[in-house]
C-alpha cells in the first residue's frame, strides 16, 4: 500500500490549522505543511501568538512546529512535494466543534473518508486511513463514496442546527405560558430516543458551519427539484433569525419601548465560549438591531480582538455610514462596559460571566438596572441578583412576577418579528 510521508493542507483557517497540527503531533514521521495565500495569517501561525484561539492548540503547535509541522505561503512547491493534498484529493469532512476542536481531533466520534469507487480512488482512501490509524481505532474510521461523505457533513450540521431551532421555538412558548425551557429540555432529554445534547435554548446558533451547511442543503434540494425538502430545512434558519429578532425586541420593550441614546453593555461577541470566532455570531445581529434603534453599545469579549468587532459591525449589511464610530465602544473589561449602563446583555456563555461582582456592577448602572441573559448562564444567581436589585429577563423563562413585567407593546414593533431583516450580514 502507498505510504504517505508528506501532506499539504490548503487553508490555514479554523479547520486546516488545528486539523493538520494534530496530524503532525500524532504522526511525527509525516511532514505536514499548511499553506495559505494570506501572509499575515501564516506569519501568525509561525509566531507565539496564533491567529485563532482554541484550548490546547498552542501546546500542540509548539510541540511540532519546525520539526514536522510547517506553515508557508509557498503553495506551489508544497503541492508538488506532497503525497496527499487535503481539500483537493479526498472528501474528508471535519466534524469539529470550536472550543473542543483539539479534543475532538484526538478522540473523534468517527473519521469519515469518501473517495471515488475506482481502484485509484480506493487506494487513496486506504492511504489516508493509514494516517488516521496512527491514533484512531480502525472501527471509528468510516469510508464511503464521495457523495455520501459530503452529504453526511451537511446532514450532521443540519440535524444539530435543527435541534437548537426546535428548543428555541419551545423557549418562546415557555415564556408565554410560564414554563421553564431548561426543565422542558431536561425532561425530553431523559428520553433515550431523543438524548440531551444540543437542547440548550439561547439567543440563536452561530459559527461558520451551521447556517452555511443548512443553506447548502436548501440550495441542493432546490437544484434537484425537491422544494418541499428545501422549505423544511429553510425553517431551521428562519427560526434562528426569529429568535434573534425576538430577543432584541424583548430588550427594547423591557426598556420602556426605546433604547435610543441608552447605554447597553454587550458581554460576549464570539459565537460561543472558548473561541475567538465571530462568524455568524448572534452578537452581531443583536448589536445591529440595537444600533438601528439608536442604542450606544459598549462591547466586551475576553478573546475577540477589538479590530474584529469593528470589522464585523462595520459590514455594509450590518451598519450604515458612521454608526459604529458613533454608537459602539469596545471595552477592556466587563466592569468598564457595564459602568453607567441601562442594561447588561449576555450574548456569549463565557464562564467568567458567572463570576462577576454583580453588586459592584449594579452600583454603577442606571436604575432600574436590567440583565438580559441570552445564554442562561446566570440561572443559579437569579435570587441573588434580584436581591441586589436587578430586573432579570432570560431565554425561555419568566424569572419573577415581582419584577417590572415584560409585555410586548400593542403598537407596531420597531422591526417585524416575522419578516427577515432588510440587511443581512455576510460575515
Amino acid at each position: 500500500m502507498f505510504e504517505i510521508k508528506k501532506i499539504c493542507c490548503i487553508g490555514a483557517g479554523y479547520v486546516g490549522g488545528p486539523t493538520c497540527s494534530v496530524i503532525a503531533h500524532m504522526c511525527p514521521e509525516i511532514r505536514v505543511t499548511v499553506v495559505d495565500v494570506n501572509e499575515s495569517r501564516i506569519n501568525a501561525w509561525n509566531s507565539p501568538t496564533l491567529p485563532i484561539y482554541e484550548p490546547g492548540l498552542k501546546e500542540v503547535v509548539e510541540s511540532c512546529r519546525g520539526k514536522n509541522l510547517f506553515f508557508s505561503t509557498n503553495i506551489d512547491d508544497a503541492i508538488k512535494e506532497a503525497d496527499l493534498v487535503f481539500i483537493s484529493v479526498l472528501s474528508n469532512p471535519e466534524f469539529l466543534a470550536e472550543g473542543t476542536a483539539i479534543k475532538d481531533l484526538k478522540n473523534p466520534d468517527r473519521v469519515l473518508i469518501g473517495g471515488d469507487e475506482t481502484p485509484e480512488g480506493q487506494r487513496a482512501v486506504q492511504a489516508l486511513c493509514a494516517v488516521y490509524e496512527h491514533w484512531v481505532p480502525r472501527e471509528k474510521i468510516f469510508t464511503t463514496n464521495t457523495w455520501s461523505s459530503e452529504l453526511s457533513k451537511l446532514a450532521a450540521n443540519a440535524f444539530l442546527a435543527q435541534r437548537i431551532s426546535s428548543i428555541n421555538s419551545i423557549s418562546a412558548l415557555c415564556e408565554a405560558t410560564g414554563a421553564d425551557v431548561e426543565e422542558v429540555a431536561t425532561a425530553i432529554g431523559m428520553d433515550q430516543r431523543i438524548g440531551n445534547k444540543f437542547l440548550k435554548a439561547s439567543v440563536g446558533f452561530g459559527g461558520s458551519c451551521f447556517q452555511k451547511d443548512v443553506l447548502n442543503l436548501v440550495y441542493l434540494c432546490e437544484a434537484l427539484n425537491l422544494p418541499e425538502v428545501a422549505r423544511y430545512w429553510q425553517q431551521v434558519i428562519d427560526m434562528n433569525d426569529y429568535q434573534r429578532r425576538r430577543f432584541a425586541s424583548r430588550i427594547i420593550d423591557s426598556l420602556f419601548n426605546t433604547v435610543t441614546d441608552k447605554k447597553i453593555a454587550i458581554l460576549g461577541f464570539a459565537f460561543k465560549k472558548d473561541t475567538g470566532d465571530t462568524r455568524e455570531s448572534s452578537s452581531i445581529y443583536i448589536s445591529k438591531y440595537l444600533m438601528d434603534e439608536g442604542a450606544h453599545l459598549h462591547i466586551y469579549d475576553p478573546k475577540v480582538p477589538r479590530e474584529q468587532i469593528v470589522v464585523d459591525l462595520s459590514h455594509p449589511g450590518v451598519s450604515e455610514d458612521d454608526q459604529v464610530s458613533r454608537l459602539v465602544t469596545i471595552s477592556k473589561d466587563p466592569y468598564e462596559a457595564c459602568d453607567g449602563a441601562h442594561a447588561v446583555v449576555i450574548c456569549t456563555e463565557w464562564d467568567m460571566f458567572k463570576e462577576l461582582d454583580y453588586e459592584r456592577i449594579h452600583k454603577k448602572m442606571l436604575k432600574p438596572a436590567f440583565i438580559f441573559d441570552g445564554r442562561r448562564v446566570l440561572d443559579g444567581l437569579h435570587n441573588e441578583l434580584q436581591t441586589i436589585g436587578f430586573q432579570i429577563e432570560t431565554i425561555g423563562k419568566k424569572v419573577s412576577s415581582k419584577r417590572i413585567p415584560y409585555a410586548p407593546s400593542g403598537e407596531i414593533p420597531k422591526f417585524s418579528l416575522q419578516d427577515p431583516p432588510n440587511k443581512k450580514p455576510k460575515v
Side-chain angles (χ1 to χ4, degrees), residues 91 114-116 144-154 220 224:
S91 171
D116 292 341
T144 68
N145 65 42
T146 305
W147 260 114
S148 293
S149 175
E150 291 301 307
L151 278 181
S152 295
K153 163 66 173 173
L154 298 183
L220 190 60
L224 296 174

Side-chain angles (χ1 to χ4, degrees), residues 58-88:
K58 184 178 177 68
E59 293 78 6
V60 168
V61 171
E62 291 181 345
S63 72
C64 48
R65 186 174 57 195
K67 300 174 184 176
N68 70 318
L69 174 64
F70 302 89
F71 298 92
S72 172
T73 56
N74 193 343
I75 300 174
D76 292 342
D77 287 350
I79 293 175
K80 290 175 184 176
E81 296 174 3
D83 300 318
L84 183 147
V85 180
F86 269 100
I87 296 176
S88 63

Side-chain angles (χ1 to χ4, degrees), residues 134-149:
H134 280 75
W135 77 95
V136 180
R138 186 62 182 86
E139 60 269 18
K140 286 190 173 184
I141 302 175
F142 184 48
T143 62
T144 68
N145 65 42
T146 305
W147 260 114
S148 293
S149 175

